Amino acid sequence: MALTGLDIFKLLPKTNCTECGVPTCMAFAMKLAAKNAELAACPYASEEAISKIGAASKPPIRLVKVGPTDREVLLGNETVMFRHEKTFVHPTAFAVAFSDEQSPGDLAHLTATVREYCLERVGEELTLDLVLVENSSEEVEPFIAAIKAVAASAGRGVILKSSNVEALEAGAKLLEGQRPLLHAATSENVDAVAAIALKYKASVVAQAATLDELAALTQKLTALGVQDIVLDIPAENIAATLQYNTLARKAALKTAIQPLGYPVINFVTEEDLPSLVADASTLICKFASILVIDTLAYQALLPLMMLRQNIYTDPQKPIQVEPKIYPIGEPDENSPVIVTTNFSLTYFIVSGEIENSGISAHLVIVECEGMSVLTAWAAGKFSGEKIAAFIKSSGLEEQVKTRRIIIPGYVAQISGELEEGLKGWEVVVGPQEASDLGPFLKLQVQKEGN
Ligand code: SF4
């Protein structure tokens, strides 16, 4: 069971020496209880403390690594049921499914698509993570041929899916050193699959029809020496899958049932794309560690990639860009000056709209701890005084002749304060929505010309 801060404090030296980086042993105990620190930071922890606190501070869901070290995918290590409690740690890995009954031409074409797929959003590159090769033929040779084609071309970690233990072993041998994930150990084949996993250093999916059977199966696997396990409970529909995922996580987190403390793999198999996206979205939120999809349709991948990025962004650390003056296009000394906050999404949307307008501008990005415009204003981080001080210290006044600055429409109320702080500047209230910025800028440039 998890220890409270007070339980942990009783086991610490209580000398308040500060060497762990916090002022007191009590403060360190609280950080440990919140899993925001590691006991190793205290050089004076006793053997008793190490054994008791160390065991209690182990993540309730095991960290499992799949794929070659230069492209490894981390799964699990989650500590909360809900993202807003702290954060989700390792994003759902998207695995694209292939079959050994697909033609070599199809495999080559589709795996190249997996390798090259990359969506850039708010400064991050969003890609596909894993490939799954299914032994639909149930024969060894086609399976091996497909693994060779897919693994080499996709450049991703591989999940091997087969009910044929001989094929699974041949595949694991082929991928030795690349940490494949074997799907799946069941109560019937657990000894054989565990032996393959140990021999070729692979992880194992444990598959069972109920949570009780699954817990028994993972205990058997760990007793055989397999530690890196992923859970799979095939379910009839999305509601049942959601229920299993939730129960497994709750069991691991709330009641410390270690046999269910592993990442989860889910499959989405809907034929129409809207249903597939709906199911996949549900499972990204609740609590798929690996999501196997059998489509590369852009209209499905785009919303799923964006949702995953949003859900797995730490809510306590908004994505931010560096506060500075960004030239958009090729601005000169007469180009418009626009100001906003350093929330990444705001920056990329505003800079994109300026670019699309074809008008070059100076975009002033003010340090606001990554908050959006209204949030930053409400928190006192995006005030006229602060913007004025930033512009003065940035040297912008020496670079440009223009003395007109455009502020976001949502914070019209700071214009007086900003004019007060930036003597000689005219403050223009811009549109509320970034999508209206292009026409607004064109109008401003026209006015300047007249
Ligand atoms: Fe206490 Fe250890 Fe931190 Fe020193 S290093 S303050 S003994 S917890």
Side-chain angles (χ1 to χ4, degrees):
M1 288 293 284
L3 296 177
T4 65
L6 206 55
D7 295 333
I8 295 172
F9 174 67
K10 287 176 188 162
L11 294 162
L12 292 176
K14 304 181 199 68
T15 56
N16 300 335
C17 72
T18 76
E19 286 186 42
C20 55
V22 291
T24 63
C25 294
M26 177 57 98
F28 186 61
M30 292 304 169
K31 285 188 84 172
L32 280 176
K35 301 194 193 306
N36 285 332
E38 296 204 1
L39 185 59
C42 171
Y44 308 109
S46 65
E47 288 297 321
E48 185 195 7
I50 290 168
S51 100
K52 287 188 178 167
I53 301 172
S57 62
K58 254 185 26 187
I61 296 179
R62 184 178 172 84
L63 176 69
V64 174
K65 298 176 183 176
V66 176
T69 39
D70 60 341
R71 185 83 212 188
E72 71 184 6
V73 172
L74 305 182
L75 310 166
N77 233 4
E78 305 296 340
T79 56
V80 291
M81 292 294 295
F82 303 102
R83 173 181 177 267
H84 62 259
E85 289 177 73
K86 190 175 176 191
T87 182
F88 289 164
V89 183
H90 292 124
T92 305
F94 292 150
V96 180
F98 296 93
S99 161
D100 64 357
E101 290 183 335
Q102 284 174 281
S103 71
D106 274 0
L107 290 179
H109 169 68
L110 294 171
T111 49
T113 308
V114 169
R115 186 183 64 238
E116 285 158 19
Y117 180 89
C118 181
L119 172 69
E120 272 193 56
R121 183 170 181 254
V122 291
E124 288 185 8
E125 292 190 344
L126 312 177
T127 58
L128 294 159
D129 310 286
L130 297 166
V131 287
L132 177 144
V133 185
E134 180 157 10
N135 185 207
S136 314
S137 69
E138 298 187 6
E139 290 172 15
V140 176
E141 277 187 20
F143 192 44
I144 293 302
I147 296 167
K148 280 182 182 165
V150 170
S153 174
R156 300 290 187 273
V158 181
I159 305 168
L160 300 174
K161 185 169 188 283
S162 178
S163 54
N164 176 347
V165 172
E166 193 192 340
L168 218 45
E169 172 147 27
K173 186 176 179 187
L174 185 69
L175 297 177
E176 190 169 10
Q178 296 184 43
R179 291 188 299 192
L181 175 61
L182 309 181
H183 189 291
T186 63
S187 56
E188 281 86 45
N189 67 11
V190 59
D191 293 285
V193 174
I196 298 168
L198 292 172
K199 189 169 176 187
Y200 299 107
K201 298 191 170 46
S203 317
V204 173
V205 175
Q207 187 184 57
T210 68
L211 284 171
D212 286 345
E213 287 170 24
L214 197 55
L217 186 58
T218 61
Q219 281 176 301
K220 178 86 191 280
L221 280 166
T222 51
L224 291 168
V226 177
Q227 304 300 328
D228 290 332
I229 299 169
V230 174
L231 307 179
D232 181 17
I233 304 187
E236 277 179 12
N237 52 46
I238 183 69
T241 306
L242 178 61
Q243 193 174 26
Y244 283 138
N245 283 6
T246 307
L247 286 171
R249 178 164 292 198
K250 212 169 182 180
L253 262 53
K254 301 294 179 193
T255 44
I257 297 178
Q258 274 190 350
L260 293 175
Y262 297 98
V264 171
I265 186 170
N266 292 140
F267 293 76
V268 279
T269 53
E270 295 286 353
E271 279 178 14
D272 67 297
L273 287 183
S275 301
L276 182 143
V277 170
D279 287 2
S281 301
T282 304
L283 298 172
I284 289 168
C285 297
K286 301 267 174 193
F287 297 102
S289 309
I290 300 175
L291 195 58
V292 182
I293 51 176
D294 57 5
T295 179
L296 287 168
Y298 182 77
Q299 62 270 41
L301 293 181
L302 180 68
L304 296 180
M305 288 281 173
M306 290 173 62
L307 175 69
R308 178 178 68 170
Q309 186 187 33
N310 289 342
I311 296 294
Y312 284 86
T313 299
D314 186 343
Q316 295 167 50
K317 292 182 202 155
I319 321 172
Q320 10 188 320
V321 293
E322 187 190 348
K324 63 176 188 179
I325 317 287
Y326 289 82
I328 310 294
E330 293 177 354
D332 59 26
E333 57 190 15
N334 296 310
S335 298
V337 173
I338 302 160
V339 65
T340 192
T341 76
N342 72 326
F343 177 39
S344 263
L345 201 55
T346 301
Y347 167 78
F348 282 99
I349 289 173
V350 171
S351 60
E353 292 297 335
I354 300 172
E355 269 174 28
N356 291 341
S357 75
I359 294 170
S360 296
H362 304 277
L363 180 57
V364 180
I365 295 294
V366 180
E367 163 62 31
C368 293
E369 297 174 15
M371 294 179 196
S372 61
V373 169
L374 270 180
T375 314
W377 170 75
K381 311 277 179 199
F382 194 58
S383 62
E385 190 186 348
K386 199 168 166 196
I387 296 168
F390 181 74
I391 286 178
K392 281 181 180 164
S393 66
S394 70
L396 181 70
E397 287 177 302
E398 287 78 57
Q399 286 173 38
V400 298
K401 278 189 186 162
T402 184
R403 286 296 181 265
R404 185 178 286 173
I405 183 166
I406 300 167
I407 63 170
Y410 280 116
V411 288
Q413 55 273 52
I414 66 169
S415 45
E417 193 189 9
L418 183 55
E419 273 180 348
E420 194 65 29
L422 276 182
K423 294 287 182 212
W425 285 74
E426 179 193 353
V427 177
V428 178
V429 178
Q432 292 194 340
E433 301 303 330
S435 54
D436 296 327
L437 194 55
F440 180 85
L441 278 178
K442 285 177 186 156
L443 208 62
Q444 289 294 311
V445 170
Q446 263 177 18
K447 274 189 195 168
E448 293 249 347
N450 291 333

